[in-house]
Amino acid sequence: MPRKPAQTNEESDLEIEEKEPKAKEKASSNDNKDEIENLNRMLAAVLLYLSDDEVEEIDIEFLLDNTEGLRDWWEQYRERNKKKVEEEIKKSLGNLSLSELETILEQIKDKKE
């Protein structure tokens, strides 16, 4: 009976590479599902809080402290969007006159004091 030719290292590497993307896609899909479930849970907690008739004043710090993972998500969201906000501020400031910029600077200084 003829023998099956031995696989070269290159052939076995190709087989591994072909299998890895599928494994990565599956892991990525699972990560996405977990993230969606986590976001759904946080959204539900926030909406429950907002819809509570006994809550007279919305306390964001309370929400961030008492909703597991919400503070971390919020910080990551702000960091991701920081550059976008910076660009928008630069564009907005470019439309202002020097006197308007000086007025804004004075207001910022007053708030710090």
Side-chain angles (χ1 to χ4, degrees):
M1 216 180 196
R3 289 185 156 191
K4 184 177 176 182
Q7 266 188 333
T8 65
N9 284 340
E10 288 176 13
E11 289 173 338
S12 62
D13 288 347
L14 285 174
E15 285 180 13
I16 291 171
E17 287 175 10
E18 288 173 2
K19 291 177 184 176
E20 281 182 5
K22 291 177 185 174
K24 287 179 183 177
E25 286 175 17
K26 197 172 192 177
S28 176
S29 176
N30 287 339
D31 290 345
N32 286 342
K33 286 180 184 177
D34 290 344
E35 184 176 358
I36 289 169
E37 287 178 19
N38 194 32
L39 290 170
N40 282 335
R41 181 191 52 77
M42 288 188 291
L43 178 60
V46 170
L47 290 175
L48 280 172
Y49 173 79
L50 293 175
S51 64
D52 187 348
D53 292 335
E54 294 180 16
V55 175
E56 293 179 17
E57 187 174 315
I58 296 170
D59 185 354
I60 299 298
E61 282 300 315
F62 176 84
L63 274 170
L64 293 173
D65 289 339
N66 293 295
T67 305
E68 182 183 339
L70 186 58
R71 185 176 297 279
D72 292 335
W73 175 85
W74 179 240
E75 289 172 2
Q76 291 171 2
Y77 175 83
R78 289 176 59 192
E79 189 62 36
R80 283 191 308 263
N81 291 300
K82 190 176 186 178
K83 297 233 184 267
K84 183 179 177 183
V85 170
E86 287 174 356
E87 290 298 318
E88 289 176 13
I89 290 171
K90 286 178 187 177
K91 288 177 185 176
S92 298
L93 293 177
N95 297 331
L96 298 174
S97 68
L98 182 57
S99 63
E100 290 171 322
L101 288 171
E102 288 172 347
T103 304
I104 292 171
L105 183 58
E106 300 266 336
Q107 292 172 348
I108 292 171
K109 286 180 182 177
D110 291 343
K111 283 186 179 180
K112 285 185 178 179
E113 296 172 353

